[in-house]
Amino acid sequence: MRNKIRQILWLLCCLPVLTGCIGEDDYANDPRGNFEQLWKIIDEQYCFLDTKGIDWDAVHDEYSKLIIPSMSNDDLFDILSQMLYILKDGHVNLSSASRISYYDAWYQGYPWNYREDILYNYYLGSANSGYRTSAGLKYKIFDNNIGYIRYESFSAGVGDGNLDEVLYYLQICNGLIIDVRDNGGGNLTNSSRIAARFTDKLALTGYIQHKTGPGHNDFSEMEPIYLEPSNSIRWQKKVVILTNRRCYSATNDFVNVMRSLNNDNEDKRIIQLGDQTGGGSGLPFSSELPNGWSVRFSASPHFDKYGKSLEDGIKPDVYVNMDKILEEGIEQGDIESQKKDPLIEKAFEILSE
């Protein structure tokens, strides 16, 4: 039962859309009614209004002026979407039968720090290059005896049998790289199941709060989240996790959980390398407008083991700008540098120390 909170978290995030327990008033199915209902849902249930310093009343005043009785559904959808973009939250979506709004500035405009052509052609290569697959995991042993795991989506199911197979194969390695770049999230169950292979004791990994009322600061006390170690094969050697800005939601959670396994009084055994993750720490819930459109939003804030919010992402221990390094290689006429992934090369250095 020590892991009860974590289990609840798993259950919630296994569902693609959750229905919030919202006491909804009756609003007319017209542009004004749908606007008012959406504004109210965010006002009472969204969990980061005060954290992000958003004056939601002022937003109401601004966007209320744009709502007119004769406007089309497309125009209404555009205006409501623009209003939601103010939240700057990739977990916030407005969905109709034919459209969905999506905020993506959490990764747009940042160095990509990932090149699939380099990764595939040079490190994974052809079928005889020595990389294997197990469920959603790709893995191999490099010539320097460093193990490598590539996990592209936490929506890809990974069972304990898969993890046993992978870790048994990699057990001879001196260190391990876990590459979750461009992993936009998915199922928190997979995040915890994998992380449980990297600890030998119960570990506090963070806290969660839940909304208890309509006020912007109506939250429960912080409830601790624990990770229990797996009863099967576990990895206790050094690990480097590769991240970029496109690591979001469950991937953000995974990075936090893995980093929390470090002992504060010892050198870090688990190191994050690359760029800051994209964030996305609020558990998403959903509700419905009078016209049937669905709105998804962050409802329960998540914190690290020190009580710090994870919504804006997690900064790396070692920052590497792959884009810049490759550009410098081109300027210097270094053809060989274009075949190498700077993040993996840096991970090799760290794991070979």
Side-chain angles (χ1 to χ4, degrees):
M1 297 301 293
R2 293 176 298 181
N3 208 17
K4 183 177 181 181
I5 299 299
R6 191 71 189 181
Q7 292 170 350
I8 293 174
L9 203 60
W10 289 351
L11 178 60
L12 291 177
C13 286
C14 283
L15 303 177
V17 177
L18 299 167
T19 301
C21 298
I22 301 171
E24 299 178 359
D25 296 333
D26 290 330
Y27 285 93
N29 182 11
D30 57 27
R32 174 62 56 185
N34 285 291
F35 165 77
E36 295 293 347
Q37 178 63 39
L38 177 60
W39 182 89
K40 179 175 180 289
I41 289 170
I42 299 301
D43 182 59
E44 296 184 357
Q45 295 295 313
Y46 184 70
C47 65
F48 294 123
L49 287 174
D50 280 9
T51 301
K52 296 183 177 182
I54 298 172
D55 186 342
W56 198 237
D57 289 327
V59 171
H60 180 280
D61 293 342
E62 176 184 354
Y63 280 85
S64 179
K65 301 172 185 177
L66 304 178
I67 305 300
I68 56 177
S70 60
M71 66 193 312
S72 68
N73 281 337
D74 280 343
D75 288 342
L76 177 63
F77 190 94
D78 289 340
I79 289 175
L80 297 186
S81 297
Q82 291 168 16
M83 182 174 75
L84 293 178
Y85 292 154
I86 292 173
L87 302 176
K88 297 182 178 180
D89 191 329
H91 275 147
V92 175
N93 307 107
L94 181 66
S95 303
S96 70
S98 58
R99 300 178 64 186
I100 182 170
S101 68
Y102 183 68
Y103 179 81
D104 60 4
W106 48 271
Y107 66 84
Q108 296 286 9
Y110 294 92
W112 200 318
N113 267 5
Y114 177 73
R115 282 273 301 275
E116 186 174 2
D117 58 333
I118 293 177
L119 185 63
Y120 182 80
N121 291 326
Y122 187 73
Y123 291 107
L124 298 181
S126 59
N128 62 358
S129 66
Y131 96 88
R132 302 184 174 197
T133 61
S134 182
L137 305 173
K138 296 178 180 178
Y139 60 103
K140 71 171 296 178
I141 299 175
F142 290 115
D143 292 340
N144 56 8
N145 204 39
I146 300 298
Y148 175 86
I149 296 175
R150 168 74 179 148
Y151 192 36
E152 298 176 342
S153 173
F154 279 96
S155 295
V158 175
D160 285 325
N162 302 124
L163 291 170
D164 285 343
E165 176 184 327
V166 173
L167 293 177
Y168 181 80
Y169 179 76
L170 298 175
Q171 64 180 328
I172 63 172
C173 297
N174 297 327
L176 178 63
I177 299 171
I178 301 179
D179 191 346
V180 291
R181 289 175 292 175
D182 270 33
N183 188 325
N187 194 329
L188 279 180
T189 303
N190 294 324
S191 168
S192 298
R193 181 176 292 135
I194 296 172
R197 298 305 185 106
F198 295 88
T199 182
D200 58 1
K201 59 186 177 181
L202 186 72
L204 173 68
T205 63
Y207 298 88
I208 191 170
Q209 287 183 310
H210 303 282
K211 288 284 287 180
T212 59
H216 294 179
N217 288 304
D218 289 343
F219 291 103
S220 66
E221 295 295 321
M222 284 190 176
E223 302 173 15
I225 302 171
Y226 294 94
L227 178 72
E228 293 183 352
S230 169
N231 293 323
S232 192
I233 301 175
R234 295 193 295 269
W235 180 278
Q236 292 298 299
K237 288 176 276 189
K238 208 163 188 177
V239 179
V240 173
I241 304 173
L242 307 185
T243 61
N244 63 357
R245 289 289 304 192
R246 295 172 185 246
C247 295
Y248 197 72
S249 193
T251 313
N252 193 66
D253 174 80
F254 174 73
V255 174
N256 169 64
V257 172
M258 290 290 286
R259 291 188 54 154
S260 72
L261 302 180
N262 286 317
N263 189 323
D264 293 339
N265 300 320
E266 300 175 358
D267 291 338
K268 290 182 178 179
R269 179 174 63 90
I270 299 173
I271 297 171
Q272 178 190 352
L273 185 153
D275 202 353
Q276 179 174 328
T277 60
S281 68
L283 280 181
F285 276 52
S286 74
S287 189
E288 191 172 287
L289 304 187
N291 62 2
W293 293 352
S294 175
V295 57
R296 184 172 181 256
F297 56 92
S298 299
S300 297
H302 187 191
F303 309 86
D304 68 13
K305 66 179 182 179
Y306 305 107
K308 179 182 177 182
S309 174
L310 298 166
E311 173 64 9
D312 293 331
I314 303 168
K315 293 182 179 179
D317 299 300
V318 180
Y319 176 75
V320 177
N321 187 332
M322 177 179 184
D323 300 24
K324 182 178 180 181
I325 293 173
L326 292 178
E327 288 174 3
E328 290 175 348
I330 293 175
E331 293 173 357
Q332 296 168 5
D334 186 353
I335 299 176
E336 288 302 312
S337 69
Q338 305 305 301
K339 300 177 182 179
K340 296 181 179 180
D341 186 316
L343 275 71
I344 292 182
E345 292 294 328
K346 185 62 178 180
F348 284 163
E349 293 180 20
I350 293 172
L351 293 172
S352 299
E353 293 175 352

